[in-house]
Amino acid sequence: MENLTKKLNKLLAERAELEATLFDRLYKSILQEAIQGNLVPQIESEGTAEELLEEIRAEKQRLVKEGKLKKSVLTNESRIFRGEDNKYREKKDGIISLIEDELPFEIPATWTWVRLDDICTYIQRGKSPKYSLIKKIPVVAQKCNQWSGFQIDKAQFIEPASINSYGEERKLVDGDLMWNSTGLGTLGRMAIYWERLNPYGIAVADSHVTVIRPIPNKILSEYLFAYFSSYTVQSVIDDKSDGSTKQKELSTSTVKNYLVPLPPYAEQQRIVAKIHKVLASIMSR
């Protein structure tokens, strides 16, 4: 009887492992279809990504005029376009370069490729904290960013008075992407910061986490999360990093220069909704 119980437990464990593996493969497959424009149809009335980029440029100009962004965000911008030979090129600092070799797959005609820095208002590593036992201001470390989501309960806390040394931009806001940027085993793991999950009302990131802040109402955090969670990005994360095996890290310049397949905003919303719907359907079975 004891042997039978052991066999049954072993079979149940193997089944659970198989189901987890199958779910992981399905999830990655769904993400891949999503970021290549195959999960939802393109709708002409939603416009194009090029039109969205024009809106983003106008928004950046407004923020610069209001003193909320540096003027350099306008001068450092790259422009990616298709030439008459149907090949992608990038114009930056007056220089035009062919970038076909950098592109991992084809995208729909209404989409475009962009550098991550051109669709965000802030991309920066956190800073090394002065820790405290006073549970007032949490600091997001790599262990807080799990593929299952942002986990504030894993955070330590900074010395409350040290918050004065943090610029306002370093305080996390709703929808910030937090990308683990150092360390073997944690490199590349990402989560989205949601204010509703933080009972302390304020939080900052430590120096091992890169904070990515997309332009609100133009770029959906959940869409970027889908892209950076995908096989396309995660399968080559080590190749994109610098340093030795145990000290791998993603530099801020590498993060800023990541190429992103960009759909119109309404399509971003439909993609994210479809991902949630498909996953909910799979998990309910």
Side-chain angles (χ1 to χ4, degrees), residues 164-232:
N164 295 325
S165 68
Y166 287 77
E168 193 64 27
E169 73 282 354
R170 286 192 178 274
K171 298 173 185 177
L172 297 174
V173 301
D174 219 33
D176 278 353
L177 295 163
M178 302 173 295
W179 206 6
N180 290 358
S181 298
T182 66
L184 186 65
T186 62
L187 185 74
R189 203 167 60 208
M190 179 181 278
I192 303 176
Y193 177 78
W194 297 119
E195 293 176 351
R196 66 178 183 274
L197 300 179
N198 179 14
Y200 304 96
I202 185 175
V204 294
D206 77 6
S207 59
H208 299 290
V209 174
T210 299
V211 178
I212 301 168
R213 188 167 297 151
I215 294 181
N217 303 316
K218 307 292 182 187
I219 305 296
L220 206 59
S221 298
E222 294 95 328
Y223 171 74
L224 289 183
F225 178 80
Y227 176 60
F228 286 110
S229 304
S230 72
Y231 179 80
T232 290

Coordinates of all heavy atoms in Angstrom, one line a residue, residues 164-232:
N164 N 14.7 62.2 0.6 CA 15.0 63.6 0.2 C 16.1 63.6 -0.9 O 16.3 64.6 -1.6 CB 15.4 64.4 1.4 CG 14.2 64.6 2.3 OD1 13.1 64.7 1.9 ND2 14.5 64.7 3.6
S165 N 16.9 62.5 -0.9 CA 18.0 62.4 -1.9 C 17.5 61.8 -3.2 O 18.3 61.7 -4.2 CB 19.2 61.6 -1.3 OG 18.8 60.2 -1.2
Y166 N 16.3 61.4 -3.3 CA 15.7 60.9 -4.5 C 15.0 62.0 -5.3 O 14.1 62.7 -4.7 CB 14.7 59.8 -4.2 CG 15.3 58.5 -3.7 CD1 15.8 58.3 -2.4 CD2 15.4 57.4 -4.5 CE1 16.4 57.2 -1.9 CE2 16.0 56.2 -4.1 CZ 16.5 56.1 -2.8 OH 17.0 54.9 -2.4
G167 N 15.3 62.1 -6.6 CA 14.5 63.0 -7.4 C 13.1 62.5 -7.6 O 12.8 61.3 -7.4
E168 N 12.2 63.4 -7.9 CA 10.8 63.0 -8.0 C 10.6 62.0 -9.0 O 9.7 61.1 -8.9 CB 10.0 64.3 -8.4 CG 8.5 64.1 -8.2 CD 8.0 63.9 -6.8 OE1 8.7 64.3 -5.9 OE2 7.0 63.2 -6.6
E169 N 11.4 62.0 -10.1 CA 11.3 61.0 -11.2 C 11.6 59.6 -10.7 O 11.2 58.6 -11.3 CB 12.1 61.4 -12.4 CG 13.6 61.2 -12.2 CD 14.3 62.3 -11.4 OE1 13.6 63.2 -11.0 OE2 15.5 62.1 -11.1
R170 N 12.3 59.4 -9.6 CA 12.7 58.1 -9.1 C 11.6 57.4 -8.3 O 11.7 56.2 -8.1 CB 14.0 58.2 -8.2 CG 15.3 58.5 -9.0 CD 16.5 58.2 -8.2 NE 17.7 58.4 -8.9 CZ 18.3 57.5 -9.6 NH1 17.8 56.3 -9.7 NH2 19.4 57.7 -10.3
K171 N 10.6 58.2 -7.9 CA 9.5 57.6 -7.2 C 8.6 56.8 -8.3 O 8.2 57.4 -9.3 CB 8.7 58.6 -6.5 CG 9.5 59.3 -5.4 CD 8.7 60.5 -4.8 CE 9.6 61.3 -3.8 NZ 8.9 62.5 -3.3
L172 N 8.3 55.5 -8.0 CA 7.6 54.7 -9.0 C 6.2 55.2 -9.1 O 5.5 55.6 -8.2 CB 7.6 53.3 -8.5 CG 9.0 52.6 -8.4 CD1 8.9 51.2 -7.8 CD2 9.6 52.5 -9.8
V173 N 5.7 55.1 -10.4 CA 4.3 55.5 -10.7 C 3.6 54.3 -11.3 O 4.2 53.4 -11.8 CB 4.3 56.8 -11.6 CG1 4.9 57.9 -10.9 CG2 4.9 56.5 -12.9
D174 N 2.3 54.4 -11.3 CA 1.5 53.3 -11.9 C 1.9 53.0 -13.3 O 2.0 53.9 -14.2 CB 0.0 53.8 -11.8 CG -0.9 52.7 -11.5 OD1 -0.6 51.8 -10.7 OD2 -2.1 52.7 -12.0
G175 N 2.1 51.7 -13.6 CA 2.4 51.3 -14.9 C 3.9 51.2 -15.2 O 4.3 50.8 -16.3
D176 N 4.8 51.6 -14.3 CA 6.2 51.5 -14.5 C 6.6 50.1 -14.7 O 6.1 49.2 -14.0 CB 7.0 52.1 -13.3 CG 7.2 53.6 -13.4 OD1 6.8 54.2 -14.4 OD2 7.7 54.1 -12.4
L177 N 7.4 49.8 -15.7 CA 8.0 48.5 -15.9 C 9.3 48.4 -15.1 O 10.1 49.4 -15.1 CB 8.3 48.2 -17.4 CG 7.1 48.2 -18.3 CD1 7.5 48.3 -19.7 CD2 6.3 46.9 -18.1
M178 N 9.5 47.3 -14.4 CA 10.7 47.2 -13.5 C 11.4 45.9 -14.0 O 10.9 44.8 -13.9 CB 10.2 47.0 -12.1 CG 9.4 48.2 -11.6 SD 8.8 48.0 -9.9 CE 7.6 46.6 -10.2
W179 N 12.6 46.2 -14.6 CA 13.3 45.1 -15.3 C 14.6 44.8 -14.6 O 15.4 45.6 -14.4 CB 13.7 45.6 -16.7 CG 13.8 44.5 -17.7 CD1 13.6 43.1 -17.5 CD2 14.2 44.6 -19.1 NE1 13.8 42.4 -18.6 CE2 14.2 43.3 -19.6 CE3 14.6 45.6 -19.9 CZ2 14.6 43.0 -20.9 CZ3 15.0 45.4 -21.2 CH2 15.0 44.0 -21.7
N180 N 14.6 43.5 -14.1 CA 15.8 43.1 -13.4 C 17.0 43.1 -14.3 O 17.0 42.5 -15.4 CB 15.6 41.7 -12.9 CG 14.6 41.6 -11.7 OD1 14.1 42.6 -11.3 ND2 14.4 40.4 -11.2
S181 N 18.1 43.8 -14.0 CA 19.1 44.1 -14.9 C 20.5 43.6 -14.5 O 21.5 43.9 -15.2 CB 19.2 45.6 -15.1 OG 18.0 46.1 -15.7
T182 N 20.6 42.8 -13.4 CA 21.8 42.2 -13.1 C 21.6 40.8 -12.5 O 20.5 40.5 -12.1 CB 22.6 43.0 -12.0 OG1 21.8 43.0 -10.8 CG2 22.8 44.5 -12.4
G183 N 22.6 40.0 -12.5 CA 22.6 38.8 -11.8 C 22.2 37.5 -12.6 O 21.3 37.6 -13.4
L184 N 22.9 36.4 -12.3 CA 22.6 35.2 -12.9 C 21.3 34.6 -12.3 O 21.1 34.6 -11.1 CB 23.7 34.2 -12.6 CG 23.7 32.8 -13.2 CD1 23.8 32.9 -14.7 CD2 24.8 31.9 -12.6
G185 N 20.4 34.2 -13.2 CA 19.1 33.7 -12.8 C 18.0 34.6 -12.7 O 16.8 34.3 -12.7
T186 N 18.3 35.9 -12.5 CA 17.2 36.9 -12.3 C 17.2 37.9 -13.5 O 16.3 38.7 -13.7 CB 17.4 37.7 -11.0 OG1 18.6 38.4 -11.0 CG2 17.3 36.8 -9.8
L187 N 18.3 38.0 -14.2 CA 18.5 38.9 -15.3 C 17.3 38.8 -16.3 O 17.0 37.7 -16.8 CB 19.8 38.7 -16.1 CG 20.2 39.7 -17.2 CD1 20.6 41.0 -16.6 CD2 21.3 39.1 -18.0
G188 N 16.7 39.9 -16.6 CA 15.6 39.9 -17.6 C 14.2 39.7 -17.1 O 13.2 39.9 -17.8
R189 N 14.1 39.3 -15.8 CA 12.8 39.1 -15.3 C 12.1 40.5 -15.1 O 12.8 41.4 -14.7 CB 12.9 38.4 -13.9 CG 11.6 37.7 -13.5 CD 11.9 36.7 -12.4 NE 12.4 37.4 -11.2 CZ 13.2 36.8 -10.3 NH1 13.6 35.5 -10.5 NH2 13.6 37.4 -9.2
M190 N 10.8 40.6 -15.3 CA 10.2 41.9 -15.3 C 8.8 41.8 -14.6 O 8.2 40.8 -14.6 CB 10.0 42.3 -16.8 CG 9.3 43.7 -16.9 SD 9.1 44.1 -18.7 CE 10.6 44.9 -19.0
A191 N 8.4 42.9 -14.1 CA 7.1 43.1 -13.5 C 6.6 44.5 -13.7 O 7.4 45.4 -14.0 CB 7.1 42.7 -12.0
I192 N 5.3 44.7 -13.6 CA 4.7 46.0 -13.7 C 4.4 46.6 -12.3 O 3.8 45.8 -11.5 CB 3.5 46.0 -14.6 CG1 3.8 45.5 -15.9 CG2 2.9 47.4 -14.7 CD1 2.6 45.3 -16.8
Y193 N 4.7 47.8 -12.0 CA 4.4 48.4 -10.7 C 3.0 48.9 -10.8 O 2.6 49.7 -11.6 CB 5.3 49.5 -10.4 CG 5.0 50.3 -9.1 CD1 5.3 49.7 -7.9 CD2 4.3 51.5 -9.1 CE1 5.0 50.4 -6.7 CE2 4.0 52.2 -8.0 CZ 4.4 51.6 -6.8 OH 4.0 52.2 -5.6
W194 N 2.2 48.4 -9.8 CA 0.8 48.9 -9.7 C 0.6 49.5 -8.3 O 0.9 48.9 -7.3 CB -0.2 47.8 -9.9 CG -0.2 47.2 -11.2 CD1 0.1 45.9 -11.5 CD2 -0.5 47.8 -12.5 NE1 0.0 45.7 -12.9 CE2 -0.3 46.8 -13.5 CE3 -0.8 49.1 -12.8 CZ2 -0.5 47.1 -14.8 CZ3 -1.0 49.4 -14.2 CH2 -0.9 48.4 -15.2
E195 N 0.2 50.8 -8.2 CA 0.0 51.5 -7.0 C -0.9 50.8 -6.0 O -0.8 50.8 -4.8 CB -0.4 52.9 -7.2 CG 0.6 53.8 -7.9 CD 0.1 55.1 -8.3 OE1 -1.1 55.4 -8.1 OE2 0.9 56.0 -8.7
R196 N -1.9 50.1 -6.6 CA -2.9 49.4 -5.7 C -2.3 48.3 -4.9 O -2.9 47.8 -3.9 CB -4.1 48.9 -6.6 CG -3.7 47.8 -7.5 CD -4.9 47.3 -8.3 NE -4.5 46.1 -9.2 CZ -4.1 46.3 -10.4 NH1 -3.9 47.5 -11.0 NH2 -3.8 45.2 -11.2
L197 N -1.1 47.8 -5.4 CA -0.5 46.7 -4.7 C 0.5 47.2 -3.6 O 1.2 46.4 -3.0 CB 0.2 45.8 -5.7 CG -0.6 45.1 -6.7 CD1 0.2 44.3 -7.7 CD2 -1.7 44.3 -6.1
N198 N 0.6 48.5 -3.5 CA 1.6 49.1 -2.5 C 0.8 49.8 -1.4 O 0.4 51.0 -1.6 CB 2.6 50.0 -3.2 CG 3.5 50.6 -2.3 OD1 3.7 50.2 -1.1 ND2 4.2 51.6 -2.8
P199 N 0.6 49.2 -0.3 CA -0.1 49.9 0.8 C 0.6 51.1 1.4 O 0.1 51.9 2.2 CB -0.3 48.8 1.8 CG 0.8 47.8 1.6 CD 1.1 47.9 0.1
Y200 N 1.9 51.2 1.1 CA 2.7 52.3 1.7 C 2.6 53.6 0.9 O 3.1 54.6 1.3 CB 4.2 51.8 1.7 CG 4.4 50.6 2.5 CD1 4.4 49.3 1.8 CD2 4.4 50.5 3.9 CE1 4.6 48.1 2.5 CE2 4.6 49.4 4.6 CZ 4.6 48.2 3.9 OH 4.8 47.0 4.6
G201 N 2.1 53.5 -0.3 CA 1.8 54.8 -1.1 C 3.0 55.3 -1.8 O 2.8 56.2 -2.7
I202 N 4.2 54.9 -1.6 CA 5.4 55.4 -2.3 C 6.4 54.2 -2.3 O 6.4 53.4 -1.4 CB 6.0 56.6 -1.5 CG1 7.1 57.2 -2.3 CG2 6.4 56.3 -0.1 CD1 7.7 58.5 -1.7
A203 N 7.2 54.2 -3.4 CA 8.2 53.2 -3.5 C 9.3 53.7 -4.5 O 9.0 54.5 -5.3 CB 7.6 51.9 -4.0
V204 N 10.5 53.1 -4.3 CA 11.6 53.4 -5.2 C 12.2 52.1 -5.6 O 11.9 51.1 -5.0 CB 12.6 54.4 -4.5 CG1 12.1 55.7 -4.3 CG2 13.2 53.7 -3.3
A205 N 13.1 52.1 -6.6 CA 13.8 50.9 -7.0 C 15.3 51.0 -6.6 O 15.8 52.0 -6.5 CB 13.7 50.8 -8.5
D206 N 15.9 49.8 -6.4 CA 17.3 49.7 -6.1 C 18.1 49.7 -7.4 O 17.6 49.7 -8.5 CB 17.6 48.6 -5.1 CG 17.7 47.2 -5.8 OD1 17.6 47.1 -7.0 OD2 17.8 46.2 -5.0
S207 N 19.4 49.6 -7.3 CA 20.3 49.8 -8.4 C 20.4 48.6 -9.3 O 21.0 48.6 -10.4 CB 21.7 50.2 -7.9 OG 22.2 49.1 -7.1
H208 N 19.7 47.5 -9.0 CA 19.7 46.3 -9.8 C 18.5 46.2 -10.7 O 18.3 45.3 -11.4 CB 19.8 45.0 -8.9 CG 21.1 45.0 -8.1 ND1 22.3 44.8 -8.6 CD2 21.2 45.1 -6.8 CE1 23.2 44.7 -7.7 NE2 22.6 45.0 -6.5
V209 N 17.7 47.2 -10.6 CA 16.4 47.3 -11.4 C 16.4 48.5 -12.2 O 16.6 49.6 -11.8 CB 15.2 47.3 -10.4 CG1 13.9 47.4 -11.2 CG2 15.2 46.0 -9.6
T210 N 16.0 48.3 -13.5 CA 15.8 49.4 -14.4 C 14.4 49.8 -14.5 O 13.5 48.9 -14.7 CB 16.3 49.1 -15.9 OG1 17.7 48.8 -15.8 CG2 16.1 50.2 -16.8
V211 N 14.1 51.0 -14.3 CA 12.7 51.5 -14.3 C 12.4 52.0 -15.7 O 13.1 52.9 -16.3 CB 12.4 52.6 -13.3 CG1 11.0 53.1 -13.4 CG2 12.7 52.1 -11.9
I212 N 11.3 51.5 -16.4 CA 11.0 51.9 -17.7 C 9.6 52.6 -17.6 O 8.6 51.9 -17.2 CB 10.9 50.7 -18.7 CG1 12.3 50.1 -18.7 CG2 10.5 51.1 -20.1 CD1 12.3 48.7 -19.4
R213 N 9.4 53.8 -18.0 CA 8.2 54.6 -17.9 C 7.7 54.9 -19.3 O 8.1 55.9 -19.9 CB 8.4 55.8 -17.0 CG 7.1 56.5 -16.6 CD 7.5 57.5 -15.5 NE 7.9 56.9 -14.3 CZ 8.8 57.4 -13.4 NH1 9.3 58.6 -13.6 NH2 9.1 56.7 -12.4
P214 N 6.7 54.2 -19.8 CA 6.1 54.5 -21.1 C 5.3 55.8 -21.1 O 4.8 56.2 -20.0 CB 5.2 53.3 -21.4 CG 5.6 52.2 -20.4 CD 6.1 52.9 -19.2
I215 N 5.2 56.4 -22.3 CA 4.4 57.6 -22.4 C 2.9 57.2 -22.1 O 2.4 56.4 -22.9 CB 4.6 58.3 -23.7 CG1 6.0 58.8 -23.9 CG2 3.5 59.4 -23.9 CD1 6.3 59.5 -25.1
P216 N 2.3 57.8 -21.1 CA 0.9 57.4 -20.8 C -0.1 57.7 -21.9 O 0.1 58.7 -22.6 CB 0.6 58.2 -19.5 CG 1.5 59.3 -19.5 CD 2.8 58.8 -20.2
N217 N -1.1 56.9 -22.1 CA -2.2 57.0 -23.0 C -1.7 56.9 -24.5 O -2.4 57.2 -25.4 CB -2.9 58.4 -22.8 CG -3.5 58.5 -21.5 OD1 -4.1 57.6 -20.9 ND2 -3.3 59.7 -20.8
K218 N -0.4 56.5 -24.7 CA 0.1 56.3 -26.0 C 0.7 54.9 -26.1 O 0.6 54.3 -27.1 CB 1.2 57.4 -26.3 CG 0.8 58.8 -26.1 CD -0.3 59.2 -27.1 CE -0.7 60.7 -27.0 NZ -1.8 61.1 -27.8
I219 N 1.4 54.5 -25.0 CA 2.1 53.2 -25.0 C 1.5 52.4 -23.8 O 1.6 52.9 -22.6 CB 3.6 53.4 -24.9 CG1 4.1 54.2 -26.0 CG2 4.3 52.0 -24.9 CD1 3.9 53.6 -27.4
L220 N 1.0 51.3 -24.0 CA 0.5 50.5 -22.9 C 1.5 49.6 -22.2 O 2.2 48.8 -22.9 CB -0.6 49.6 -23.5 CG -1.8 49.1 -22.5 CD1 -2.5 50.3 -21.9 CD2 -2.7 48.2 -23.3
S221 N 1.7 49.8 -20.9 CA 2.7 49.0 -20.2 C 2.5 47.5 -20.4 O 3.5 46.8 -20.6 CB 2.6 49.3 -18.7 OG 2.8 50.7 -18.4
E222 N 1.3 47.0 -20.4 CA 1.0 45.6 -20.5 C 1.5 45.1 -21.9 O 1.9 43.9 -22.0 CB -0.4 45.3 -20.3 CG -0.9 45.5 -18.9 CD -1.6 46.9 -18.7 OE1 -1.1 47.9 -19.4 OE2 -2.5 47.0 -17.9
Y223 N 1.4 45.9 -22.9 CA 1.9 45.5 -24.2 C 3.4 45.3 -24.2 O 3.9 44.4 -24.7 CB 1.4 46.5 -25.3 CG 2.1 46.1 -26.7 CD1 1.7 45.0 -27.4 CD2 3.2 46.8 -27.1 CE1 2.3 44.7 -28.6 CE2 3.9 46.5 -28.3 CZ 3.4 45.4 -29.0 OH 4.1 45.0 -30.2
L224 N 4.1 46.3 -23.7 CA 5.5 46.2 -23.6 C 6.0 45.0 -22.7 O 6.9 44.4 -23.0 CB 6.1 47.5 -23.0 CG 6.1 48.8 -23.9 CD1 6.8 49.9 -23.2 CD2 6.8 48.5 -25.2
F225 N 5.2 44.8 -21.7 CA 5.5 43.6 -20.8 C 5.4 42.3 -21.6 O 6.2 41.4 -21.5 CB 4.5 43.6 -19.6 CG 4.7 42.4 -18.7 CD1 5.7 42.4 -17.8 CD2 3.9 41.3 -18.9 CE1 5.9 41.2 -17.0 CE2 4.1 40.1 -18.1 CZ 5.1 40.1 -17.1
A226 N 4.4 42.3 -22.5 CA 4.2 41.1 -23.3 C 5.4 40.9 -24.3 O 5.9 39.8 -24.4 CB 2.9 41.2 -24.2
Y227 N 5.9 42.0 -24.8 CA 7.0 41.9 -25.7 C 8.3 41.5 -25.0 O 9.0 40.6 -25.4 CB 7.3 43.3 -26.4 CG 8.5 43.3 -27.3 CD1 8.6 42.4 -28.4 CD2 9.6 44.1 -27.0 CE1 9.7 42.4 -29.1 CE2 10.7 44.1 -27.8 CZ 10.8 43.2 -28.9 OH 11.9 43.2 -29.7
F228 N 8.6 42.1 -23.8 CA 9.8 41.8 -23.1 C 9.7 40.5 -22.4 O 10.8 40.0 -22.0 CB 10.2 43.0 -22.2 CG 10.7 44.2 -22.9 CD1 9.9 45.3 -22.9 CD2 11.9 44.2 -23.5 CE1 10.4 46.5 -23.6 CE2 12.4 45.3 -24.2 CZ 11.6 46.4 -24.2
S229 N 8.6 39.9 -22.3 CA 8.4 38.6 -21.7 C 8.5 37.5 -22.7 O 8.6 36.3 -22.4 CB 7.0 38.5 -21.0 OG 6.8 39.4 -20.0
S230 N 8.5 37.9 -24.0 CA 8.4 36.9 -25.1 C 9.7 36.2 -25.3 O 10.8 36.6 -24.9 CB 8.0 37.7 -26.4 OG 9.1 38.4 -26.9
Y231 N 9.6 35.1 -26.1 CA 10.8 34.3 -26.4 C 11.8 35.2 -27.2 O 13.0 35.0 -27.0 CB 10.3 33.1 -27.2 CG 11.5 32.2 -27.7 CD1 12.1 31.3 -26.8 CD2 12.0 32.3 -29.0 CE1 13.2 30.5 -27.2 CE2 13.1 31.5 -29.4 CZ 13.7 30.6 -28.5 OH 14.7 29.9 -28.9
T232 N 11.3 36.0 -28.1 CA 12.2 36.9 -28.9 C 13.2 37.6 -28.0 O 14.3 37.7 -28.4 CB 11.3 37.9 -29.7 OG1 10.6 37.2 -30.7 CG2 12.2 38.9 -30.4

